[in-house]
Each structure stands twice: as structure tokens, then as C-alpha cells.
Amino acid sequence: MTTDPLLLMGEVDAATTRLMRTAASFDAADLAAASLLPGWSRGHVLAHLARNADGFVNLLTAARTGEPLPMYASLAARTADIEAGADRPTAEHLDDLRRSADRFAEAVEAMPAAAWGATVRARRGPWPAALLVWGRLREIEVHHLDLAADYRPGDWSEAFAHRLLREAASHHADGPTPPSMVLRFDGSQHDLVIGDRAGAPTVSGPASDLAAWLTGRDSGHTLTVAPDGPLPTPPEWI
């Protein structure tokens, strides 16, 4: 998948359209139903995605202007905004998602070329501005799964699944106590290794299923382990 943020905007737009289509199918009971995220309804997930878009607008603005804007005013404010928006009717969720997506697209369009080289203060620390569009795409695609509404890892594009898999594997490998495993995904000539390769189990399957498992969005029931045994337990993902 391209790392060019302007080219990635086509992927963001397509992912947003798919998300909106799913959200439009929800009635009040659907919105109140549990998502895959503990303690969050589907309405919470949709409210988070709208506020996340605005958070990324803040970071893009910081990169463009040099003003040290944080992604969110505070963790408490982020939580309060999600809670306040969770119980809205479908039409209001859709309007909020659409408007926040438009604000994000406008902020990307306003970025001069030099601003993409800036570093901004994201929720978990410094982050290259050039990765903000990828970050938004990742949020949409992963949280679409969290809606538990017939959107599956196999619906991700192959390029997205491969990039997310490599990112998640790198994140886990850099952790303090990475579980040792070898990841082997369909069509790849190279394994991804986490921890110590010697004696580590090999976990195989489609890149999308491996990525969903490593990010805590799937149990890994479609994956195979060699030699036979239980799947390793991935650390918590960001």
C-alpha cells in the first residue's frame, strides 16, 4: 500500500463509504447493541470514529501551522465526547460521520507539501504527519470490524491487510516481552518473526486473518499452528 498520504485519501474515502453504508443499516436497537469493544455499544464506536476524524484534523492543523495542538484536549474530554454522542439516532450519527469526514478531507487538502515532514503530538506520543492519513484509514477499517455487523477481515483490501499485519508484528516485536512466533501468510516469500525464532511455533493463514488476530479483532480460529498446539497470545495492540 502506498505511503503517499494524498494517494491514500482514495482508500480513506472508499473505507468511509463502506462504513457509512453499514451505519445506515442500524436502527435504534442495533446502535444500542454491544460492539466488539468491551463496554462500548455500536453507537460508541460510531461516535469515536467521528471524534477521531476531528482529532486527526487537529494534528493536520498542527503540522500545517506549527501550533502544538494535541489530538484531543484531554483523555477525559475524549471519553466525554464519545459518551455524549453514543446514544444519538442513526440520522445524527450519519450526519456527524459525514461532516467529520469532510473536515478531515479538507484538512488534508490544505496541507502544503513541506508540512507532511512535520512531527505531531498524537494520543500516544510523537508521530510523523506523513502517517496521519494511514492512521485514519486504519481507524476506519479496524473499527468497522468492531461494529460486529458482517464486515470481516477478508473484506479488507490485500494491501491494507499486509500493511496492518506488518505494523502489528513490528509493534509486538518491539514490546518488552514479545511472544515468540513465526508468521507465515498466503502468497508471501518471507516470514515475519516476533521474538526468538528458535523453537517458535509457526502461525499460518491469510494476511487479513493474521492481522485481525494480532490486533485483537479475531480469535484466530482460521489460523493453523505448527507444530500442533495452542495459538500464542499476542500482547495488547495499540
Side-chain angles (χ1 to χ4, degrees):
M1 176 167 280
T2 178
T3 58
D4 186 320
L6 298 181
L7 293 179
L8 269 181
M9 275 305 296
E11 299 293 331
V12 171
D13 292 342
T16 300
T17 297
R18 292 191 293 271
L19 173 71
M20 296 283 289
R21 187 180 304 123
T22 295
S25 72
F26 294 155
D27 60 19
D30 294 326
L31 287 170
S35 73
L36 297 184
L37 296 176
W40 273 16
S41 67
R42 286 172 171 150
H44 283 90
V45 175
L46 295 179
H48 163 64
L49 281 167
R51 300 290 71 75
N52 172 264
D54 287 336
F56 274 110
V57 169
N58 288 339
L59 296 181
L60 289 163
T61 302
R64 178 172 55 82
T65 66
E67 184 180 353
L69 288 171
M71 188 170 188
Y72 301 106
S74 66
L75 182 59
R78 172 183 178 271
T79 300
D81 285 344
I82 293 169
E83 289 293 339
D87 293 335
R88 296 172 297 180
T90 301
E92 291 185 24
H93 275 294
L94 291 173
D95 184 64
D96 194 15
L97 287 167
R98 185 178 300 107
R99 290 175 182 272
S100 59
D102 288 345
R103 289 191 291 270
F104 178 77
E106 290 165 2
V108 169
E109 187 175 355
M111 286 281 283
W116 293 113
T119 298
V120 295
R121 182 158 56 97
R123 190 165 69 92
R124 297 179 182 272
W127 214 26
L131 292 180
L132 293 175
V133 177
W134 160 253
R136 177 58 181 168
L137 176 62
R138 186 183 63 192
E139 285 287 311
I140 297 169
E141 290 286 46
V142 172
H143 284 312
H144 198 162
L145 292 188
D146 292 331
L147 291 173
D150 295 326
Y151 193 71
R152 300 287 184 261
D155 294 319
W156 288 337
S157 73
E158 184 176 356
F160 176 84
H162 281 212
R163 179 163 180 174
L164 180 62
L165 172 59
R166 292 180 183 279
E167 182 178 85
S170 178
H171 169 77
H172 292 327
D174 290 342
T177 55
S180 295
M181 66 180 89
V182 177
L183 305 176
R184 186 166 297 162
F185 53 100
D186 298 348
S188 174
Q189 301 298 314
H190 304 285
D191 296 332
L192 295 177
V193 180
I194 299 176
D196 185 1
R197 183 170 192 143
T202 297
V203 183
S204 302
S208 57
D209 292 353
L210 285 165
W213 172 63
L214 284 184
T215 56
R217 265 62 189 188
D218 190 85
S219 66
H221 66 283
T222 64
L223 306 177
T224 60
V225 184
D228 287 342
L231 280 169
T233 301
E236 184 179 359
W237 185 64
I238 54 177

